[in-house]
Amino acid sequence: MDQTDWDALRTAATAVAERAHAPYSRYRVGAAALADDGRLLVGCNVENAAYGVTLCAECGVVSQLHASGGGRLTHFVCVNGAGEVIMPCGRCRQLLFEHGGSDLMLWTVSGIKPMSEVLPDAFGPDDLEGTN
Ligand code: THU
């Protein structure tokens, strides 16, 4: 994927950030990803009066991945309300790893990197092989 495509992904993330439901933090997040068949997936954060129930923008992306036919994530970016690239939180790195694996490419605050660098030595589905 070239920089033009990454820019389009970031534009999609910035657009969906405007739809965030973030009345408590007032921190809007938009996320966008590509699936392995080229589908564009987006999500925004959805906060809750019970703060811990908040859904990060990444949750929306993963839900849309499965709701629209499944597959694997191949490329991902998330941004704040100003359209600046931000890092997925720790929990969401784990979430993204489950659905994209080590080769998922992410646009991070320090450039485009594989998940193997964003979440090194990740615990994942392979660790459960043969345990049940
Ligand atoms: N947030 C996300 O949506 N994704 C992240 O990876 C970082 C944090 C949201 C959760 C909360 O609604 C707001 O940003 C402030 O933490």
Side-chain angles (χ1 to χ4, degrees), residues 45-66:
N45 56 330
V46 179
E47 297 184 346
N48 191 286
Y51 297 163
V53 182
T54 288
L55 303 175
C56 283
E58 293 87 335
C59 299
V61 166
V62 169
S63 181
Q64 195 185 6
L65 172 71
H66 290 283

Side-chain angles (χ1 to χ4, degrees), residues 21-22 25-31 44-48 51 54-59 76 78-79 86-90 92-93:
H21 174 72
S25 73
R26 307 221 168 261
Y27 188 83
R28 295 174 181 274
V29 179
C44 58
N45 56 330
V46 179
E47 297 184 346
N48 191 286
Y51 297 163
T54 288
L55 303 175
C56 283
E58 293 87 335
C59 299
F76 174 88
C78 58
V79 302
I86 61 169
M87 294 305 289
C89 73
C92 288
R93 293 181 201 198

Side-chain angles (χ1 to χ4, degrees), residues 39-130:
R39 259 155 46 237
L40 172 66
L41 310 162
V42 295
C44 58
N45 56 330
V46 179
E47 297 184 346
N48 191 286
Y51 297 163
V53 182
T54 288
L55 303 175
C56 283
E58 293 87 335
C59 299
V61 166
V62 169
S63 181
Q64 195 185 6
L65 172 71
H66 290 283
S68 64
R72 300 284 287 168
L73 301 174
T74 60
H75 300 81
F76 174 88
V77 66
C78 58
V79 302
N80 61 22
E84 296 161 342
V85 173
I86 61 169
M87 294 305 289
C89 73
R91 191 197 81 109
C92 288
R93 293 181 201 198
Q94 185 72 33
L95 182 68
L96 293 169
F97 177 72
E98 179 84 12
H99 301 282
S102 306
D103 296 331
L104 170 62
M105 297 303 295
L106 301 95
W107 188 350
T108 78
V109 295
S110 50
I112 294 163
K113 296 180 175 177
M115 183 54 97
S116 55
E117 290 180 31
V118 174
L119 188 65
D121 301 324
F123 179 88
D126 291 350
D127 293 292
L128 301 180
E129 290 282 316

